[in-house]
Amino acid sequence: MKRIIGLASLFFLLTAAGCERSGIVKDDFSYGDIRNINTTQWASLSKKRIFFGHQSVGGNIVQGMADILESNKEIKLVILNSDKPGDLKPGTFEHIEIGRNEQPLSKIEAFSNLIKSGTGNNSDIAFFKFCYIDINKSTDVKSLFSTYQQAMSVLKAAYPGVIFIHVTVPFRLPDKNIKYWVKKAVGIEPSKENNISRNRYNDLLRSAYEGKEPVFDLARLEAVSPDKNLCFFEDKGNRIMILCPEYTDDGGHLNALGRKVVAEQLLVFLAKLE
């Protein structure tokens, strides 16, 4: 009995510390180094009117942007928490929480309504993101993506002057609480299944838009560690990307390092956007 308990404890410690990485796979995915963006690109970005709809992880990214702008005065963007079209002046990054968590359709509807109610006429760039909590093992991923795709097609046709960015869905790590371990012991791992669904949604989005329309791959950025290793587990021969533990303190939201990495990449992405 003592041996069984000891082995179980060892398994717990190894699994909790290991981020469920299956081997080491190098991945240097990024949109470039922020230090390589030139003054002309920053000057061009400073003339843009940008709208971003989000919830909590988006708030982490916006905080990361604010931190970067504070120490990089050449990036002349004003971050403004608002949903008023009249606030969208050149050089403004307007953002607001939209919809309700765990109800992704509400976020599609809220974003569409904001664009149609004036934001679309005042924006150069517009985008929103789902949260990890919006997609789980029970989500009909194909139906959700189809609804998203239809809504974005309508907006793109109605506002041809706006660049709409598509954003992949972020990930979450297992909570590693007693409930998790009890379920894992009997072969039930909802956290894995939830991330499988998120990866499936992201694959649909990449397949539909990559190389055709702008895609900010938030999920891929979350899954590349500071050491340029891919964070993933394997399921039926497929690599399922997950959030690297270095980027979070609670398993889902971005910590100081995570929000810095993602915010820098978003600024680089926006500066290079044409």
Side-chain angles (χ1 to χ4, degrees):
M1 178 60 73
K2 287 183 179 179
R3 183 182 180 187
I4 293 173
I5 293 173
L7 289 173
S9 298
L10 177 62
F11 175 78
F12 177 92
L13 291 172
L14 290 174
T15 307
C19 175
E20 298 188 88
R21 291 179 186 168
S22 299
I24 300 297
V25 175
K26 288 295 182 182
D27 192 324
D28 61 356
F29 174 78
S30 79
Y31 293 105
D33 192 322
I34 194 169
R35 294 170 295 184
N36 294 333
I37 301 300
N38 60 48
T39 54
T40 301
Q41 289 171 303
W42 288 135
S44 176
L45 184 62
S46 72
K47 297 181 176 67
K48 304 298 186 193
R49 301 165 298 172
I50 306 168
F51 177 77
F52 176 40
H54 63 86
Q55 280 281 345
S56 56
V57 172
N60 299 154
I61 297 170
V62 173
Q63 180 59 56
M65 289 179 63
D67 295 340
I68 292 167
L69 295 181
E70 184 64 28
S71 56
N72 292 267
K73 301 300 183 183
E74 71 275 17
I75 310 175
K76 301 187 184 302
L77 275 181
V78 175
I79 296 178
L80 185 64
N81 183 232
S82 172
D83 61 359
K84 295 180 174 59
D87 288 341
L88 272 164
K89 310 292 185 184
T92 300
F93 185 95
E94 182 180 272
H95 70 101
I96 196 74
E97 291 189 354
I98 63 169
R100 295 171 297 281
N101 279 337
E102 300 184 88
Q103 298 182 37
L105 295 180
S106 75
K107 298 183 180 182
I108 297 174
E109 182 181 12
F111 180 76
S112 296
N113 289 341
L114 283 167
I115 294 297
K116 292 173 183 177
S117 62
T119 297
N121 291 325
N122 284 53
S123 298
D124 298 302
I125 299 169
F127 60 114
F128 80 100
K129 59 167 287 300
F130 293 124
C131 274
Y132 56 81
I133 201 169
D134 293 325
I135 295 180
N136 57 47
K137 64 178 183 176
S138 301
T139 303
D140 186 335
V141 170
K142 286 186 178 180
S143 177
L144 175 60
F145 181 69
S146 177
T147 301
Y148 169 84
Q149 198 169 26
Q150 290 170 13
M152 296 306 292
S153 294
V154 169
L155 295 179
K156 187 178 178 184
Y159 301 92
V162 178
I163 297 175
F164 290 101
I165 300 171
H166 308 283
V167 184
T168 51
V169 177
F171 300 128
R172 178 170 178 80
L173 287 174
D175 290 325
K176 304 293 186 178
N177 53 26
I178 188 65
K179 184 177 179 181
Y180 167 84
W181 292 109
V182 169
K183 287 186 175 182
K184 185 177 177 67
V186 296
I188 300 172
E189 293 193 67
S191 58
K192 278 192 172 184
E193 294 169 5
N194 293 342
N195 275 326
I196 288 171
S197 291
R198 292 165 192 143
N199 274 265
R200 189 176 299 124
Y201 181 92
N202 291 340
D203 287 342
L204 289 173
L205 186 143
R206 295 186 190 101
S207 178
Y209 296 118
E210 263 189 346
K212 304 168 190 174
E213 298 180 23
V215 174
F216 183 68
D217 204 338
L218 168 59
R220 184 83 177 273
L221 292 170
E222 284 194 337
V224 176
S225 77
D227 295 329
K228 302 302 180 184
N229 296 319
L230 187 68
C231 295
F232 70 98
F233 63 87
E234 291 188 352
D235 178 72
K236 300 175 183 177
N238 298 315
R239 289 178 187 164
I240 306 300
M241 289 187 285
I242 59 175
L243 173 62
C244 291
E246 295 92 335
Y247 298 145
T248 183
D249 294 329
D250 66 2
H253 296 97
L254 298 173
N255 60 20
L257 176 60
R259 63 179 180 256
K260 178 178 183 291
V261 168
V262 174
E264 279 190 355
Q265 287 299 293
L266 178 56
L267 284 165
V268 169
F269 180 88
L270 291 171
K272 290 183 172 182
L273 199 58
E274 297 179 356

